[in-house]
Amino acid sequence: MRGGDREAEFREYVIADRSRLLRTAMLLTAGDVYTAEDLVQTACTRVYVHWHRIRHEGAGPYAHRILVNAFLDERRRAGRHPEVVTAETFEPRLSEQTDPVDTLAVRKALLELAPRQRAVLVLRYFEDLDVASCARILECTEGTVKSQTAKALKRLKDLMAEDPATDPATGSS
């Protein structure tokens, strides 16, 4: 295949899949749009480098794995500044009934989770992937995905209970 055709195929893939990758990255970074854009750029660059090998297998799962691994690598780097919740939001699936206070409380609680726990929740519940797909992306066993999901959900529940904005005793949402 000629280089121009390969580049056209890659361009079509990016146009079709970029918004899904960005949504996943925004969830992983709990709303940090700049870091999310960087993660998507990293994933797209690595997909491009390996396009000749992966275009027939399906670039989507490969790009997802790269995105999650780039996020986990970013979180491991020493000296990384902590994430900050901002007023700027990115919620493509919000319905009109969604309470912004709840959205911020969930985002704040997600920030408190360990990176792998956050990744497993995003992949399982926001991306709606099954356990086997998550295990492939995270490069771990299905049992690890299940145990990390259980621990992350428990931790998220505990964090949400501690948040005064979501405490029923205060009369707030």
Side-chain angles (χ1 to χ4, degrees):
M1 176 176 280
R2 293 184 2 237
D5 293 338
R6 192 170 33 225
E7 287 188 18
E9 277 183 0
F10 174 75
R11 194 174 313 116
E12 287 177 22
Y13 162 74
V14 170
I15 289 169
D17 209 32
R18 188 177 186 290
S19 62
R20 185 177 64 88
L21 288 171
L22 184 59
R23 183 182 71 236
T24 300
M26 288 293 292
L27 290 165
L28 288 170
T29 62
D32 182 349
V33 71
Y34 303 109
T35 303
E37 287 282 351
D38 288 346
L39 291 172
V40 170
Q41 185 64 36
T42 298
C44 288
T45 301
R46 291 184 188 165
V47 166
Y48 180 76
V49 168
H50 298 286
W51 186 251
H52 66 282
R53 180 174 47 93
I54 63 169
R55 72 176 190 256
H56 299 296
E57 303 166 7
Y62 183 80
H64 239 86
R65 182 178 324 136
I66 290 171
L67 182 73
V68 171
N69 287 340
F71 165 73
L72 294 172
D73 290 345
E74 180 76 14
R75 299 307 308 148
R76 286 184 198 114
R77 285 192 189 138
R80 176 81 177 134
H81 60 278
E83 297 168 341
V84 178
V85 177
T86 65
E88 185 177 337
T89 61
F90 177 79
E91 300 294 340
R93 292 185 181 176
L94 283 181
S95 68
E96 293 178 10
Q97 296 88 15
T98 303
D99 185 357
V101 174
D102 289 343
T103 301
L104 289 175
V106 169
R107 188 173 289 161
K108 182 180 172 187
L110 281 172
L111 284 171
E112 297 295 321
L113 295 178
R116 285 188 70 86
Q117 288 181 344
R118 189 183 323 164
V120 88
L121 287 184
V122 168
L123 292 173
R124 288 283 290 132
Y125 297 106
F126 291 98
E127 288 299 315
D128 200 27
L129 297 178
D130 61 15
V131 172
S133 297
C134 290
R136 278 192 305 279
I137 289 170
L138 295 170
E139 297 176 337
C140 64
T141 66
E142 290 183 22
T144 300
V145 170
K146 292 175 185 178
S147 67
Q148 285 293 307
T149 301
K151 290 175 185 176
L153 287 173
K154 181 181 182 325
R155 176 82 173 123
L156 191 64
K157 181 180 175 183
D158 292 345
L159 289 167
M160 295 296 291
E162 293 172 6
D163 189 351
T166 59
D167 185 8
T170 64
S172 299
S173 57

